Structures are given as C-alpha cells and as structure tokens.
Amino acid sequence: MERLDEQTVRYGSAGEAGRPLGRSVKRGMLNRCPNCGTGRLFRAFLKPVDACAVCGEDISHHRADDLPAYLVIVVVGHVLLTGYMLTDMVFLVSPWVHLAIWVPLAVLAALVTIQPIKGGVIGLQWALKMHGFGGEDNEVADPGRGGPIA
C-alpha cells in the first residue's frame, strides 16, 4: 500500500488516448504532424506551423530551443570525426586538403540533419505532453519560471 508521500506522479488525464513515443518522434522526424501524421510540421526551413492544417493540433507552444542544435553537433561531430580519423590514417595529405574536404561536409551534414532532428524533438514533446501539449498551460504554474507556487 502506497503512502500519501510515495504516490507515483502521472501527467495527463487517464481517459485520454495514449501518445506512442516512437511513432510521435518518427512522425516529427519525417516533418509531419505528430498527432495525425499527414499535416506538415514546418512552414519554413526551421519555422514550425502554428497548428496542423489537417487535424488542427496546436503546435505553436513547443519549446525545442537549443536541443536540436546540440543533437546535431553530437551526431555530425561523431560521424565526421570518425571519417576524418579513418581517412587520415589511410591518406597522408596536407591539413589544408582535410580542411577543404571536412568543413563543407560538416556544414552540409548539419543543414541536412537540423530539420528532422527539430521535428523529432517537437514530436517528443508532444508525446510526453510537455509545454502545453497536454491541454493545460504548464508555463503559468511553473515556479521555476516565475509562476505561482501551487
């Protein structure tokens, strides 16, 4: 029997349908609405739509912030560093040649991966009902952001 101070905290109402995490992140990475999977998630390169044109899901209150950029740095950095290290062991070329090869590849890889990763982060937030995706406004009741202590 659980005591009052040991109860598990559950977010969202019990009557709502579940939001599968993997499906939501996959839909976001495919630049589709995490709710219906058919509406577009972005209206510009990195600017998400305010609401899905198909199902009407409000997406305007997402808080992706810096996480997509950090994930791109980690992914692209590990892949390119591995490629650089392997080619440096096989081919003995000047550092300028490496610079001419790896800098454009880094810029291109970052530009290709930033939009799908940002979509995946928005899908993650939607699936976990973070930042207003659960139906209530979390920003008002968050004491860490200056909201009232409830």
Side-chain angles (χ1 to χ4, degrees):
M1 179 152 118
E2 287 185 345
R3 293 186 326 200
L4 185 60
D5 60 342
E6 293 179 356
Q7 291 180 351
T8 304
V9 176
R10 299 194 192 279
Y11 295 100
S13 63
E16 267 185 59
R19 296 180 176 183
L21 181 64
R23 184 185 74 190
S24 302
V25 172
K26 180 180 174 187
R27 286 178 176 176
M29 290 184 77
L30 293 173
N31 300 329
R32 297 289 171 207
C33 171
N35 186 30
C36 66
T38 56
R40 291 179 45 198
L41 187 59
F42 294 99
R43 67 173 173 239
F45 182 61
L46 289 176
K47 183 71 176 168
V49 296
D50 291 330
C52 177
V54 177
C55 67
E57 178 72 28
D58 184 22
I59 303 174
S60 63
H61 44 73
H62 78 88
R63 303 282 299 187
D65 296 336
D66 293 335
L67 181 60
Y70 291 131
L71 293 176
V72 166
I73 289 170
V74 168
V75 170
V76 170
H78 280 84
V79 170
L80 290 182
L81 184 65
T82 303
Y84 168 76
M85 299 283 279
L86 290 174
T87 57
D88 194 42
M89 289 177 9
V90 175
F91 303 110
L92 298 174
V93 294
S94 133
W96 290 105
V97 173
H98 281 296
L99 190 68
I101 293 170
W102 295 107
V103 169
L105 279 176
V107 171
L108 182 66
L111 289 174
V112 167
T113 58
I114 186 71
Q115 190 180 35
I117 289 178
K118 183 171 183 174
V121 168
I122 293 172
L124 173 78
Q125 291 176 355
W126 181 84
L128 297 178
K129 300 178 184 177
M130 298 169 65
H131 307 296
F133 282 120
E136 68 280 341
D137 188 15
N138 293 346
E139 302 298 324
V140 175
D142 187 1
R145 293 181 180 244
I149 298 174

